[in-house]
Amino acid sequence: MGISRYLESRKNIAGSACGLVGLVLTFTGVAGPYWPVVVAGLYGAGALIAPPERPPLPEFPDPSAQLGELRGDFEKLSGYLADADLPPEARDLLARLDELLSALLDPGWAAELLAQDPEGLHVLARAVRQDVPEAVDTFVRTRWWTRLTPGQEPPELHLERQLTLVQDELKLLATALRETEARRQESHTRYLEDRGRDR
């Protein structure tokens, strides 16, 4: 800790306050000839009982900023998928997945709900940044080895299964967001009904 930081610290402030009490005792004659020891002792006691310094909380991006970054990553993912050589069935699955991701990432009501749902935001980020690119990359690499050693299980089956699982997870997220809005609507209806009965 630097000198300037120590001078502004709680320990120094508490110690100085107690040291001032020692000076008051000195001027009133209570401390006697041992006043330096009394002042130093009180300063030390004040510094010891002061609460410890608390480090500042780290600043993390707020959910709306995280969604903005995620939209940028989704654009990168879309460019990557456009260049990948994939079978027609996987392309169809990716088109449906792309539509679902676009709807969830679209600025608007979904983004507002996701900003209040860290777990949902995590599911969405994992799909964009990990699950989909890893599924496609693993397929591309496995297909190359399968061509060298024919007779193995087709890697297309795994890719289609993986993309279907990601899509199912995102559908559950979309359903949960829809149910949140439905509960909000029902709550507002009950509020209006209760208000009408109170008249």
Side-chain angles (χ1 to χ4, degrees):
M1 182 184 289
I3 293 174
S4 62
R5 281 182 62 195
Y6 180 76
L7 290 175
E8 297 170 359
S9 71
R10 294 177 183 180
K11 291 188 175 297
N12 184 48
I13 292 169
S16 298
C18 290
L20 283 174
V21 171
L23 287 174
V24 169
L25 292 175
T26 299
F27 290 130
T28 57
V30 176
Y34 303 106
W35 70 267
V37 176
V38 172
V39 172
L42 285 172
Y43 176 87
L48 285 173
I49 63 169
E53 291 296 317
R54 209 178 63 212
L57 286 171
E59 291 184 15
F60 297 112
D62 64 15
S64 57
Q66 292 177 29
L67 274 169
E69 292 174 10
L70 196 50
R71 285 186 196 102
D73 291 342
F74 178 57
E75 285 181 23
K76 290 180 197 171
L77 176 64
S78 298
Y80 165 73
L81 295 176
D83 293 338
D85 181 20
L86 300 173
E89 295 82 1
R91 277 273 166 228
D92 292 342
L93 276 169
L94 278 172
R96 291 196 294 274
L97 199 54
D98 182 81
E99 189 177 325
L100 186 54
L101 283 167
S102 296
L104 287 168
L105 285 168
D106 187 44
W109 69 268
E112 290 173 15
L113 288 175
L114 280 168
Q116 301 164 19
D117 181 9
E119 184 59 35
L121 193 57
H122 172 70
V123 168
L124 194 56
R126 185 176 57 202
V128 170
R129 293 174 176 155
Q130 178 183 336
D131 295 340
V132 174
E134 189 170 324
V136 172
D137 183 59
T138 305
F139 163 76
V140 170
R141 287 185 285 122
T142 306
R143 184 176 59 176
W144 185 82
W145 285 106
T146 304
R147 287 174 181 165
L148 296 177
T149 56
Q152 305 294 318
E153 186 177 25
E156 290 84 357
L157 296 178
H158 284 286
L159 175 62
E160 290 165 22
R161 181 71 183 130
Q162 289 165 6
L163 294 177
T164 301
L165 290 168
V166 173
Q167 186 178 31
D168 291 346
E169 189 175 33
L170 291 174
K171 281 181 180 176
L172 285 175
L173 174 59
T175 301
L177 294 175
R178 182 189 60 77
E179 288 172 356
T180 299
E181 284 292 82
R183 283 193 300 273
R184 184 175 160 196
Q185 185 183 35
E186 289 166 9
S187 296
H188 190 59
T189 301
R190 282 195 299 273
Y191 162 73
L192 292 173
E193 289 171 347
D194 292 344
R195 194 173 71 183
R197 280 195 290 268
D198 291 341
R199 288 178 184 170

